[in-house]
Amino acid sequence: MKRTLLAACAATLLLATSACGLGSESTGAEGSVSRVPELQPDQKVSIVFESYNFGQAGAWTDTFNELIAAFEKEHPNISVTAQKPQGNSANPATDTISSLQSQLTAGSPPDVVQLGFSDLDFTVNQLKALPLDDLVGKDAVQANFDGDEYPYAESARTLGDWKGKTYGVPFVFSTPMLYYNKQLFTQAGLDPEHPPTTWAEVRDAAKAIKEKTGEDGAYVDCLTKAAKDWCFQALVRSAGGRVISEDRSTLTFADPPSVQAVRTMQDMVKAGVMPNRTQMQAVESFARGDLGMILESSAIQGTFLKGAGDKWELGAAAMPSFEGKQAIPTNSGAALFVFSQDQAKQRAAWELIKFLTSERAYTTIATKIGYLPLRTGLVNDPEGLKKWADENPYLEPNLKQLEHLEPWVSMPGASYLQIRDGMMQAVENAVYQGANPADSLRSAQEEASALLPGGGK
Protein backbone atom coordinates (compact mmCIF):
# COMPACT_ATOMS: atom_id res chain seq x y z
CA MET A 1 0.00 0.00 0.00
CA LYS A 2 2.82 2.38 0.90
CA ARG A 3 4.53 1.74 -2.47
CA THR A 4 1.27 2.61 -4.25
CA LEU A 5 0.95 5.88 -2.36
CA LEU A 6 4.59 6.78 -3.03
CA ALA A 7 4.16 6.08 -6.72
CA ALA A 8 1.12 8.31 -6.79
CA CYS A 9 3.13 10.98 -5.01
CA ALA A 10 5.88 10.81 -7.64
CA ALA A 11 3.37 11.06 -10.48
CA THR A 12 1.67 14.02 -8.88
CA LEU A 13 4.98 15.77 -8.26
CA LEU A 14 6.03 15.25 -11.87
CA LEU A 15 2.79 16.74 -13.15
CA ALA A 16 2.99 19.62 -10.69
CA THR A 17 6.56 20.40 -11.75
CA SER A 18 5.65 20.48 -15.44
CA ALA A 19 2.60 22.58 -14.67
CA CYS A 20 4.75 25.21 -13.03
CA GLY A 21 7.30 25.58 -15.82
CA LEU A 22 6.28 29.15 -16.50
CA GLY A 23 9.36 30.74 -14.96
CA SER A 24 9.71 32.62 -11.72
CA GLU A 25 9.57 36.06 -13.28
CA SER A 26 5.83 36.53 -12.93
CA THR A 27 4.45 33.66 -10.87
CA GLY A 28 4.62 31.90 -7.57
CA ALA A 29 5.43 32.37 -3.94
CA GLU A 30 9.15 32.65 -4.74
CA GLY A 31 8.94 34.63 -8.00
CA SER A 32 8.75 38.39 -8.39
CA VAL A 33 5.45 39.86 -9.51
CA SER A 34 5.22 43.30 -11.05
CA ARG A 35 2.53 45.78 -10.06
CA VAL A 36 -0.01 45.93 -12.87
CA PRO A 37 -1.18 49.26 -14.28
CA GLU A 38 -4.80 50.33 -14.52
CA LEU A 39 -6.60 49.62 -17.79
CA GLN A 40 -7.18 52.51 -20.17
CA PRO A 41 -10.91 53.29 -20.70
CA ASP A 42 -10.80 52.09 -24.31
CA GLN A 43 -8.48 49.13 -23.69
CA LYS A 44 -10.27 45.92 -24.68
CA VAL A 45 -9.45 42.81 -22.67
CA SER A 46 -10.86 39.29 -22.75
CA ILE A 47 -10.41 36.95 -19.78
CA VAL A 48 -11.44 33.41 -18.81
CA PHE A 49 -13.07 32.60 -15.47
CA GLU A 50 -13.05 28.94 -14.46
CA SER A 51 -15.38 27.84 -11.68
CA TYR A 52 -16.73 24.47 -10.61
CA ASN A 53 -20.10 26.15 -10.09
CA PHE A 54 -20.56 26.44 -13.85
CA GLY A 55 -22.32 23.50 -15.41
CA GLN A 56 -24.27 22.72 -12.26
CA ALA A 57 -28.00 22.74 -12.75
CA GLY A 58 -30.33 25.29 -11.25
CA ALA A 59 -29.34 28.38 -9.31
CA TRP A 60 -25.58 27.93 -9.58
CA THR A 61 -24.99 28.54 -13.28
CA ASP A 62 -27.88 30.97 -13.66
CA THR A 63 -26.63 33.14 -10.80
CA PHE A 64 -23.06 33.22 -12.04
CA ASN A 65 -24.17 34.10 -15.57
CA GLU A 66 -26.25 36.93 -14.13
CA LEU A 67 -23.27 38.29 -12.20
CA ILE A 68 -20.93 38.12 -15.19
CA ALA A 69 -23.45 39.91 -17.38
CA ALA A 70 -23.70 42.66 -14.76
CA PHE A 71 -19.90 42.90 -14.59
CA GLU A 72 -19.57 43.23 -18.36
CA LYS A 73 -22.20 45.96 -18.38
CA GLU A 74 -20.26 47.84 -15.70
CA HIS A 75 -16.92 47.17 -17.48
CA PRO A 76 -17.75 47.33 -21.22
CA ASN A 77 -14.06 47.02 -22.12
CA ILE A 78 -13.74 43.61 -20.39
CA SER A 79 -15.34 40.45 -21.75
CA VAL A 80 -15.49 37.31 -19.63
CA THR A 81 -15.68 33.74 -20.87
CA ALA A 82 -16.98 31.49 -18.11
CA GLN A 83 -16.16 27.80 -18.11
CA LYS A 84 -16.30 24.78 -15.87
CA PRO A 85 -13.14 22.75 -15.16
CA GLN A 86 -12.03 20.47 -17.96
CA GLY A 87 -12.64 16.82 -17.15
CA ASN A 88 -15.12 13.98 -17.28
CA SER A 89 -16.20 13.84 -13.64
CA ALA A 90 -19.87 14.10 -12.81
CA ASN A 91 -18.86 16.61 -10.13
CA PRO A 92 -16.88 19.52 -11.68
CA ALA A 93 -15.32 20.34 -8.29
CA THR A 94 -13.24 17.15 -8.48
CA ASP A 95 -11.68 18.28 -11.77
CA THR A 96 -10.47 21.72 -10.65
CA ILE A 97 -6.80 20.98 -9.95
CA SER A 98 -6.21 18.56 -12.83
CA SER A 99 -7.96 20.98 -15.20
CA LEU A 100 -5.77 23.87 -14.11
CA GLN A 101 -2.60 21.77 -14.28
CA SER A 102 -3.37 20.76 -17.86
CA GLN A 103 -3.96 24.34 -18.95
CA LEU A 104 -0.83 25.59 -17.16
CA THR A 105 1.22 22.91 -18.91
CA ALA A 106 -0.21 24.04 -22.24
CA GLY A 107 0.72 27.63 -21.40
CA SER A 108 -2.84 28.96 -21.52
CA PRO A 109 -4.26 28.98 -17.99
CA PRO A 110 -7.62 30.57 -17.16
CA ASP A 111 -7.18 34.07 -15.79
CA VAL A 112 -9.36 33.72 -12.67
CA VAL A 113 -9.96 30.36 -11.02
CA GLN A 114 -12.22 29.34 -8.15
CA LEU A 115 -10.31 26.81 -6.02
CA GLY A 116 -11.09 25.15 -2.72
CA PHE A 117 -9.36 26.10 0.52
CA SER A 118 -8.20 22.49 0.81
CA ASP A 119 -5.97 23.18 -2.22
CA LEU A 120 -4.34 26.34 -0.82
CA ASP A 121 -0.83 25.01 -0.15
CA PHE A 122 -0.66 23.32 -3.56
CA THR A 123 -2.22 26.32 -5.32
CA VAL A 124 0.39 28.72 -3.94
CA ASN A 125 3.52 26.59 -3.87
CA GLN A 126 3.06 24.23 -6.82
CA LEU A 127 0.67 25.95 -9.21
CA LYS A 128 2.15 29.39 -8.45
CA ALA A 129 -0.98 31.49 -8.07
CA LEU A 130 -0.09 35.19 -8.13
CA PRO A 131 0.24 37.06 -4.82
CA LEU A 132 -2.42 39.73 -5.01
CA ASP A 133 -0.56 41.94 -2.52
CA ASP A 134 2.25 42.24 -5.10
CA LEU A 135 0.02 42.29 -8.17
CA VAL A 136 -2.27 45.18 -7.21
CA GLY A 137 -0.85 46.29 -3.86
CA LYS A 138 -1.67 45.33 -0.29
CA ASP A 139 -3.63 48.57 0.19
CA ALA A 140 -5.91 47.71 -2.75
CA VAL A 141 -6.46 44.18 -1.43
CA GLN A 142 -7.37 45.45 2.02
CA ALA A 143 -9.59 48.18 0.54
CA ASN A 144 -11.55 45.46 -1.23
CA PHE A 145 -11.97 43.55 2.03
CA ASP A 146 -13.13 46.79 3.70
CA GLY A 147 -15.75 47.32 0.98
CA ASP A 148 -17.73 50.42 0.13
CA GLU A 149 -19.93 50.06 3.20
CA TYR A 150 -19.65 46.55 4.61
CA PRO A 151 -16.33 44.83 5.36
CA TYR A 152 -15.60 41.13 5.26
CA ALA A 153 -16.09 39.21 8.48
CA GLU A 154 -12.75 39.27 10.30
CA SER A 155 -12.48 35.48 10.39
CA ALA A 156 -12.92 35.29 6.60
CA ARG A 157 -10.38 37.89 5.46
CA THR A 158 -7.24 35.79 5.77
CA LEU A 159 -8.49 32.39 4.61
CA GLY A 160 -6.73 32.82 1.24
CA ASP A 161 -3.48 34.11 2.78
CA TRP A 162 -0.13 32.35 2.76
CA LYS A 163 2.81 33.50 4.88
CA GLY A 164 1.35 36.96 5.37
CA LYS A 165 0.33 37.62 1.76
CA THR A 166 -3.11 37.39 0.18
CA TYR A 167 -3.18 35.00 -2.77
CA GLY A 168 -6.88 34.22 -2.91
CA VAL A 169 -9.91 36.31 -2.04
CA PRO A 170 -12.40 34.15 -0.07
CA PHE A 171 -15.51 33.89 -2.21
CA VAL A 172 -18.16 31.39 -1.14
CA PHE A 173 -18.31 29.14 1.89
CA SER A 174 -20.38 27.90 4.78
CA THR A 175 -19.93 26.45 8.24
CA PRO A 176 -21.27 23.05 9.36
CA MET A 177 -24.98 23.33 10.14
CA LEU A 178 -27.23 20.85 11.94
CA TYR A 179 -30.39 20.71 9.83
CA TYR A 180 -33.33 18.82 11.29
CA ASN A 181 -36.89 17.78 10.48
CA LYS A 182 -39.27 19.52 12.89
CA GLN A 183 -42.11 17.14 12.04
CA LEU A 184 -40.07 14.07 12.98
CA PHE A 185 -38.97 15.82 16.18
CA THR A 186 -42.59 16.38 17.18
CA GLN A 187 -43.57 12.82 16.30
CA ALA A 188 -40.70 11.51 18.43
CA GLY A 189 -41.77 13.59 21.43
CA LEU A 190 -38.85 16.03 21.04
CA ASP A 191 -39.06 19.81 21.22
CA PRO A 192 -38.56 21.13 17.65
CA GLU A 193 -37.67 24.57 19.01
CA HIS A 194 -34.77 23.22 21.10
CA PRO A 195 -32.54 21.10 18.85
CA PRO A 196 -29.53 19.20 20.25
CA THR A 197 -26.47 21.22 21.21
CA THR A 198 -24.10 18.32 22.04
CA TRP A 199 -23.29 15.07 20.28
CA ALA A 200 -24.69 13.14 23.23
CA GLU A 201 -27.99 14.96 22.71
CA VAL A 202 -27.83 14.21 18.98
CA ARG A 203 -27.44 10.50 19.75
CA ASP A 204 -30.37 10.53 22.19
CA ALA A 205 -32.62 12.47 19.80
CA ALA A 206 -31.67 10.18 16.93
CA LYS A 207 -32.53 7.16 19.05
CA ALA A 208 -35.95 8.62 19.89
CA ILE A 209 -36.66 9.36 16.22
CA LYS A 210 -35.65 5.85 15.18
CA GLU A 211 -37.70 4.15 17.90
CA LYS A 212 -40.86 6.27 17.65
CA THR A 213 -41.08 7.07 13.93
CA GLY A 214 -39.12 4.28 12.27
CA GLU A 215 -37.07 6.81 10.31
CA ASP A 216 -33.31 7.13 10.51
CA GLY A 217 -32.07 9.44 13.25
CA ALA A 218 -29.00 11.39 12.13
CA TYR A 219 -26.29 11.58 9.48
CA VAL A 220 -22.99 13.45 9.82
CA ASP A 221 -21.69 14.35 6.38
CA CYS A 222 -18.06 14.63 7.54
CA LEU A 223 -17.02 11.01 7.63
CA THR A 224 -16.41 9.73 4.11
CA LYS A 225 -13.72 10.25 1.50
CA ALA A 226 -16.31 11.86 -0.78
CA ALA A 227 -17.07 14.47 1.88
CA LYS A 228 -13.41 15.63 1.88
CA ASP A 229 -12.15 16.82 5.25
CA TRP A 230 -13.46 20.36 5.85
CA CYS A 231 -16.16 19.18 8.23
CA PHE A 232 -14.06 16.39 9.76
CA GLN A 233 -11.51 19.01 10.71
CA ALA A 234 -14.28 20.84 12.58
CA LEU A 235 -15.09 17.67 14.54
CA VAL A 236 -11.44 17.11 15.41
CA ARG A 237 -10.88 20.73 16.48
CA SER A 238 -14.08 20.59 18.54
CA ALA A 239 -12.73 17.50 20.30
CA GLY A 240 -9.55 19.40 21.15
CA GLY A 241 -7.28 18.05 18.41
CA ARG A 242 -5.80 18.90 15.02
CA VAL A 243 -5.30 16.88 11.86
CA ILE A 244 -1.82 18.38 11.37
CA SER A 245 0.56 20.22 13.70
CA GLU A 246 0.48 24.00 13.65
CA ASP A 247 3.92 24.14 12.01
CA ARG A 248 2.59 21.79 9.28
CA SER A 249 5.43 19.31 9.76
CA THR A 250 3.63 16.40 11.45
CA LEU A 251 0.30 14.68 10.89
CA THR A 252 -1.72 14.43 14.09
CA PHE A 253 -5.03 12.97 12.96
CA ALA A 254 -4.37 9.76 14.91
CA ASP A 255 -4.05 11.61 18.23
CA PRO A 256 -6.58 10.86 21.02
CA PRO A 257 -8.98 13.78 20.25
CA SER A 258 -9.42 12.58 16.66
CA VAL A 259 -9.92 9.02 17.85
CA GLN A 260 -12.56 10.25 20.29
CA ALA A 261 -14.43 12.11 17.57
CA VAL A 262 -14.39 9.11 15.23
CA ARG A 263 -15.44 6.71 17.99
CA THR A 264 -18.39 8.96 18.89
CA MET A 265 -19.60 8.78 15.30
CA GLN A 266 -18.94 5.04 15.09
CA ASP A 267 -21.01 4.49 18.24
CA MET A 268 -24.04 6.12 16.58
CA VAL A 269 -23.72 3.73 13.64
CA LYS A 270 -23.35 0.74 15.96
CA ALA A 271 -26.43 1.90 17.90
CA GLY A 272 -28.44 1.91 14.68
CA VAL A 273 -29.27 5.61 14.80
CA MET A 274 -26.93 6.74 11.97
CA PRO A 275 -27.38 4.93 8.65
CA ASN A 276 -24.53 3.71 6.48
CA ARG A 277 -25.20 5.91 3.46
CA THR A 278 -23.24 7.70 0.79
CA GLN A 279 -23.19 11.46 0.89
CA MET A 280 -25.76 11.76 -1.91
CA GLN A 281 -28.04 9.08 -0.45
CA ALA A 282 -28.14 10.89 2.89
CA VAL A 283 -28.88 14.29 1.30
CA GLU A 284 -31.70 12.81 -0.76
CA SER A 285 -33.11 10.92 2.23
CA PHE A 286 -33.18 14.05 4.37
CA ALA A 287 -34.78 16.08 1.57
CA ARG A 288 -37.55 13.47 1.32
CA GLY A 289 -38.23 13.71 5.06
CA ASP A 290 -36.88 10.24 5.85
CA LEU A 291 -34.05 11.35 8.14
CA GLY A 292 -34.24 13.29 11.38
CA MET A 293 -30.99 15.30 11.31
CA ILE A 294 -28.03 15.95 9.05
CA LEU A 295 -24.84 17.92 9.63
CA GLU A 296 -24.25 19.64 6.31
CA SER A 297 -23.11 22.78 4.49
CA SER A 298 -25.66 25.53 3.89
CA ALA A 299 -24.87 25.18 0.18
CA ILE A 300 -27.37 22.29 0.22
CA GLN A 301 -30.05 24.30 2.04
CA GLY A 302 -32.00 25.03 -1.16
CA THR A 303 -32.29 21.30 -1.82
CA PHE A 304 -33.68 20.74 1.66
CA LEU A 305 -36.20 23.58 1.43
CA LYS A 306 -37.41 22.34 -1.94
CA GLY A 307 -37.74 18.81 -0.60
CA ALA A 308 -39.63 19.97 2.48
CA GLY A 309 -42.13 22.06 0.53
CA ASP A 310 -45.39 21.95 2.43
CA LYS A 311 -44.78 18.38 3.67
CA TRP A 312 -42.44 19.10 6.59
CA GLU A 313 -40.64 22.04 8.20
CA LEU A 314 -36.89 22.52 8.10
CA GLY A 315 -35.02 23.54 11.25
CA ALA A 316 -31.38 24.62 11.57
CA ALA A 317 -28.92 24.89 14.44
CA ALA A 318 -25.21 25.34 15.03
CA MET A 319 -22.80 22.41 14.95
CA PRO A 320 -23.09 20.39 18.18
CA SER A 321 -20.21 20.25 20.65
CA PHE A 322 -18.54 17.46 22.57
CA GLU A 323 -19.30 17.39 26.29
CA GLY A 324 -17.38 20.08 28.17
CA LYS A 325 -15.89 21.62 25.02
CA GLN A 326 -16.84 24.42 22.65
CA ALA A 327 -17.67 23.56 19.07
CA ILE A 328 -15.10 24.97 16.65
CA PRO A 329 -16.49 25.22 13.11
CA THR A 330 -14.29 25.23 10.05
CA ASN A 331 -15.24 26.59 6.66
CA SER A 332 -16.08 24.86 3.44
CA GLY A 333 -15.83 26.58 0.09
CA ALA A 334 -13.38 28.38 -2.15
CA ALA A 335 -11.43 31.51 -2.98
CA LEU A 336 -10.66 33.32 -6.24
CA PHE A 337 -7.08 33.23 -7.58
CA VAL A 338 -5.30 34.90 -10.51
CA PHE A 339 -3.16 32.94 -12.98
CA SER A 340 -3.01 35.42 -15.90
CA GLN A 341 0.40 35.87 -17.55
CA ASP A 342 -0.51 39.13 -19.30
CA GLN A 343 -0.63 42.38 -17.34
CA ALA A 344 -3.82 43.68 -18.94
CA LYS A 345 -5.54 40.37 -18.19
CA GLN A 346 -4.17 40.42 -14.64
CA ARG A 347 -5.75 43.84 -14.06
CA ALA A 348 -9.03 42.69 -15.64
CA ALA A 349 -8.93 39.55 -13.47
CA TRP A 350 -8.58 41.69 -10.34
CA GLU A 351 -11.52 43.85 -11.44
CA LEU A 352 -13.65 40.70 -11.82
CA ILE A 353 -12.62 39.45 -8.38
CA LYS A 354 -13.55 42.80 -6.82
CA PHE A 355 -16.96 42.69 -8.49
CA LEU A 356 -17.69 39.07 -7.53
CA THR A 357 -16.89 39.84 -3.88
CA SER A 358 -18.72 43.16 -3.73
CA GLU A 359 -21.81 44.03 -1.70
CA ARG A 360 -23.88 43.79 -4.87
CA ALA A 361 -22.59 40.33 -5.74
CA TYR A 362 -23.03 38.92 -2.24
CA THR A 363 -26.61 40.15 -2.17
CA THR A 364 -27.26 38.10 -5.31
CA ILE A 365 -25.24 35.05 -4.21
CA ALA A 366 -26.86 34.85 -0.77
CA THR A 367 -30.46 35.22 -1.94
CA LYS A 368 -30.23 33.00 -5.01
CA ILE A 369 -27.83 30.27 -3.87
CA GLY A 370 -27.89 30.40 -0.07
CA TYR A 371 -24.20 30.86 0.59
CA LEU A 372 -23.13 32.83 3.62
CA PRO A 373 -22.66 36.55 2.78
CA LEU A 374 -19.09 37.25 3.85
CA ARG A 375 -19.92 40.96 4.10
CA THR A 376 -22.07 40.24 7.12
CA GLY A 377 -23.29 43.83 7.64
CA LEU A 378 -25.52 43.37 4.60
CA VAL A 379 -27.98 41.40 6.73
CA ASN A 380 -28.89 44.60 8.62
CA ASP A 381 -29.28 46.77 5.52
CA PRO A 382 -32.87 47.27 4.26
CA GLU A 383 -31.39 47.86 0.79
CA GLY A 384 -29.21 44.79 1.14
CA LEU A 385 -30.09 41.48 2.80
CA LYS A 386 -32.22 42.48 5.80
CA LYS A 387 -35.50 41.33 4.27
CA TRP A 388 -33.93 38.06 3.16
CA ALA A 389 -32.27 37.54 6.55
CA ASP A 390 -35.54 38.23 8.41
CA GLU A 391 -37.28 35.62 6.26
CA ASN A 392 -34.42 33.13 6.58
CA PRO A 393 -34.30 31.62 10.08
CA TYR A 394 -31.50 29.31 8.94
CA LEU A 395 -28.98 32.14 8.59
CA GLU A 396 -28.41 33.12 12.22
CA PRO A 397 -26.56 29.97 13.39
CA ASN A 398 -24.27 30.19 10.36
CA LEU A 399 -23.46 33.85 11.03
CA LYS A 400 -22.79 33.22 14.73
CA GLN A 401 -20.36 30.44 13.90
CA LEU A 402 -18.23 32.92 11.96
CA GLU A 403 -17.29 34.48 15.30
CA HIS A 404 -15.19 31.46 16.29
CA LEU A 405 -14.42 30.04 12.86
CA GLU A 406 -11.08 28.36 12.23
CA PRO A 407 -9.76 27.75 8.71
CA TRP A 408 -10.02 24.55 6.72
CA VAL A 409 -6.34 23.59 6.75
CA SER A 410 -4.79 22.35 3.51
CA MET A 411 -2.38 19.43 3.62
CA PRO A 412 1.19 20.19 2.51
CA GLY A 413 3.13 19.06 -0.51
CA ALA A 414 2.41 17.68 -3.95
CA SER A 415 0.66 14.60 -2.53
CA TYR A 416 -1.81 16.53 -0.39
CA LEU A 417 -4.82 14.84 -2.00
CA GLN A 418 -3.48 11.37 -1.22
CA ILE A 419 -2.85 12.45 2.39
CA ARG A 420 -6.35 13.85 2.74
CA ASP A 421 -8.04 10.93 1.03
CA GLY A 422 -6.07 8.38 3.03
CA MET A 423 -7.11 10.07 6.26
CA MET A 424 -10.76 10.19 5.25
CA GLN A 425 -10.77 6.58 4.04
CA ALA A 426 -9.53 5.58 7.49
CA VAL A 427 -12.33 7.59 9.08
CA GLU A 428 -14.89 5.98 6.77
CA ASN A 429 -13.52 2.49 7.48
CA ALA A 430 -13.87 3.04 11.22
CA VAL A 431 -17.27 4.72 11.27
CA TYR A 432 -19.08 2.60 8.69
CA GLN A 433 -17.06 -0.61 8.40
CA GLY A 434 -16.39 -1.15 12.09
CA ALA A 435 -12.61 -0.84 12.03
CA ASN A 436 -10.94 0.09 15.30
CA PRO A 437 -10.74 3.92 15.23
CA ALA A 438 -7.28 4.16 16.83
CA ASP A 439 -5.77 1.44 14.65
CA SER A 440 -7.37 2.69 11.44
CA LEU A 441 -6.22 6.28 11.96
CA ARG A 442 -2.74 5.26 13.11
CA SER A 443 -2.16 3.06 10.08
CA ALA A 444 -3.33 5.77 7.69
CA GLN A 445 -1.19 8.37 9.45
CA GLU A 446 1.94 6.21 9.17
CA GLU A 447 1.41 5.78 5.43
CA ALA A 448 0.48 9.41 4.84
CA SER A 449 3.48 10.71 6.81
CA ALA A 450 5.78 9.29 4.14
CA LEU A 451 4.05 11.58 1.64
CA LEU A 452 4.81 14.77 3.53
CA PRO A 453 7.58 17.00 2.16
CA GLY A 454 10.78 15.52 3.54
CA GLY A 455 9.01 12.30 4.44
CA GLY A 456 7.50 13.85 7.54
CA LYS A 457 10.89 14.42 9.11
Side-chain angles (χ1 to χ4, degrees):
M1 180 65 177
K2 186 176 293 186
R3 289 182 179 178
T4 302
L5 288 172
L6 289 171
C9 172
T12 302
L13 182 57
L14 179 62
L15 181 56
T17 302
S18 65
C20 299
L22 301 172
S24 63
E25 197 170 297
S26 60
T27 63
E30 296 125 6
S32 60
V33 175
S34 300
R35 186 73 57 87
V36 295
E38 299 281 351
L39 295 175
Q40 298 300 313
D42 60 347
Q43 188 175 0
K44 301 292 186 182
V45 184
S46 297
I47 59 175
V48 174
F49 172 35
E50 183 162 297
S51 165
Y52 56 78
N53 290 139
F54 287 109
Q56 295 188 31
W60 302 94
T61 301
D62 293 343
T63 302
F64 275 57
N65 285 337
E66 177 185 334
L67 288 171
I68 289 171
F71 171 79
E72 290 180 328
K73 185 176 181 180
E74 189 173 297
H75 298 79
N77 58 323
I78 303 175
S79 63
V80 180
T81 298
Q83 65 183 32
K84 67 179 182 178
Q86 301 172 6
N88 300 315
S89 172
N91 180 4
T94 63
D95 295 324
T96 55
I97 293 298
S98 61
S99 172
L100 181 54
Q101 285 178 316
S102 297
Q103 293 172 87
L104 283 165
T105 302
S108 56
D111 301 291
V112 181
V113 186
Q114 179 181 342
L115 294 170
F117 293 106
S118 181
D119 306 315
L120 181 61
D121 187 320
F122 192 79
T123 297
V124 171
N125 296 304
Q126 302 293 334
L127 301 181
K128 307 298 184 184
L130 300 181
L132 298 175
D133 285 357
D134 296 344
L135 194 70
V136 299
K138 188 176 183 67
D139 289 347
V141 172
Q142 293 306 313
N144 180 61
F145 283 133
D146 291 340
D148 294 330
E149 292 184 72
Y150 302 111
Y152 262 52
E154 281 299 321
S155 59
R157 292 172 74 123
T158 58
L159 294 177
D161 286 11
W162 190 262
K163 294 184 177 179
K165 285 187 179 182
T166 298
Y167 284 80
V169 178
F171 181 39
V172 289
F173 71 72
S174 176
T175 61
M177 297 278 289
L178 183 69
Y179 290 101
Y180 62 100
N181 184 321
K182 288 189 174 184
Q183 183 181 36
L184 290 180
F185 264 57
T186 300
Q187 292 174 359
L190 303 168
D191 185 350
E193 303 309 317
H194 291 86
T197 60
T198 68
W199 286 112
E201 291 175 357
V202 168
R203 181 197 60 222
D204 292 344
K207 182 179 179 182
I209 290 169
K210 183 70 174 179
E211 290 178 349
K212 297 182 180 180
T213 73
E215 303 291 0
D216 288 315
Y219 185 85
V220 179
D221 191 14
C222 314
L223 308 169
T224 63
K225 187 168 75 171
K228 300 184 180 179
D229 66 334
W230 76 276
C231 183
F232 177 66
Q233 288 192 22
L235 291 177
V236 173
R237 289 294 296 121
S238 297
R242 298 179 182 276
V243 297
I244 188 169
S245 61
E246 292 188 76
D247 66 3
R248 302 177 59 74
S249 67
T250 307
L251 297 174
T252 56
F253 62 78
D255 286 1
S258 302
V259 174
Q260 175 199 346
V262 171
R263 183 170 286 118
T264 297
M265 301 299 131
Q266 184 191 62
D267 287 346
M268 285 199 286
V269 174
K270 287 183 174 180
V273 299
M274 185 157 71
N276 184 351
R277 300 274 178 85
T278 66
Q279 185 179 34
M280 187 56 64
Q281 287 172 338
V283 167
E284 292 174 347
S285 177
F286 185 78
R288 287 194 307 268
D290 300 338
L291 175 63
M293 294 167 280
I294 187 169
L295 192 75
E296 187 54 89
S297 164
S298 69
I300 313 295
Q301 183 174 294
T303 299
F304 296 156
L305 287 169
K306 183 178 179 181
D310 58 1
K311 298 186 293 293
W312 57 275
E313 185 179 355
L314 181 67
M319 182 178 72
S321 65
F322 292 94
E323 292 290 343
K325 297 182 173 67
Q326 179 179 338
I328 301 177
T330 53
N331 59 283
S332 64
L336 299 174
F337 297 86
V338 174
F339 288 89
S340 303
Q341 295 303 301
D342 173 87
Q343 283 202 326
K345 291 178 181 290
Q346 289 169 349
R347 172 58 66 177
W350 172 244
E351 295 299 329
L352 178 62
I353 288 176
K354 287 197 298 181
F355 182 86
L356 290 175
T357 58
S358 65
E359 284 94 342
R360 175 180 178 180
Y362 275 123
T363 299
T364 301
I365 290 168
T367 54
K368 296 194 174 181
I369 296 178
Y371 267 124
L372 189 65
L374 301 189
R375 300 188 184 277
T376 52
L378 283 165
V379 301
N380 299 313
D381 184 352
E383 300 300 318
L385 290 171
K386 181 170 174 49
K387 183 176 185 295
W388 173 77
D390 289 345
E391 296 172 352
N392 183 353
Y394 318 106
L395 178 64
E396 184 178 2
N398 216 354
L399 284 175
K400 284 186 175 180
Q401 290 191 137
L402 274 179
E403 297 173 5
H404 48 280
L405 177 80
E406 292 194 6
W408 178 10
V409 178
S410 60
M411 292 297 183
S415 296
Y416 75 106
L417 290 176
Q418 289 94 321
I419 295 171
R420 185 193 73 192
D421 289 350
M423 175 180 69
M424 293 311 299
Q425 187 62 62
V427 173
E428 186 172 344
N429 290 346
V431 174
Y432 294 111
Q433 307 305 323
N436 179 280
D439 293 344
S440 184
L441 292 173
R442 187 184 307 111
S443 176
Q445 182 169 291
E446 289 174 356
E447 292 189 0
S449 292
L451 301 178
L452 288 171
K457 298 179 181 179

